[in-house]
Amino acid sequence: MATVTSKTLARIAAATSSTTLYTVPASTTAVVTNIVVTNSATSAATFTITLDAVDLFKDATIAANSTATFDLKQVLTTTKIIAGLASAVTVKFHISGVEIV
């Protein structure tokens, strides 16, 4: 029987170059359920998030001092990667989901 564990997949400040935020562990399937992006700067920024090298958000704009929330259900299999970057390190990512083993 499969074990399903809810967890934070990533909680990190964005880098200005593409960085791995989460890698699905061996013998595991992950389901991304929610992504929260915040920008604490006084000016707008952009961000990109990819799931398994496919753009989910590409150069999306986030306003100054704001938060954007995205609810979704995206399945990633073993060793697949979530990566991201932003135009400023004031952008933060919080990605939630479940791991199924």
Side-chain angles (χ1 to χ4, degrees):
M1 177 171 246
T3 301
V4 179
T5 306
S6 296
K7 68 182 297 183
T8 299
L9 303 179
R11 184 180 293 163
I12 190 167
T16 55
S17 60
S18 186
T19 302
T20 298
L21 305 175
Y22 171 77
T23 302
V24 181
S27 303
T28 303
T29 298
V31 180
V32 180
T33 58
N34 184 272
I35 297 174
V36 177
V37 182
T38 63
N39 179 16
S40 60
T42 57
S43 59
T46 60
F47 68 94
T48 296
I49 295 176
T50 62
L51 302 180
D52 190 26
V54 175
D55 292 335
L56 185 62
F57 304 102
K58 175 71 173 157
D59 297 327
T61 300
I62 183 164
N65 297 309
S66 67
T67 300
T69 303
F70 307 96
D71 291 317
L72 62 151
K73 304 291 183 278
Q74 292 294 307
V75 176
L76 296 172
T77 56
T78 297
T79 71
K80 300 303 182 191
I81 293 172
I82 300 172
L85 67 112
S87 61
V89 295
T90 56
V91 174
K92 311 280 190 301
F93 299 129
H94 179 96
I95 303 172
S96 298
V98 295
E99 288 183 337
I100 305 163
V101 181

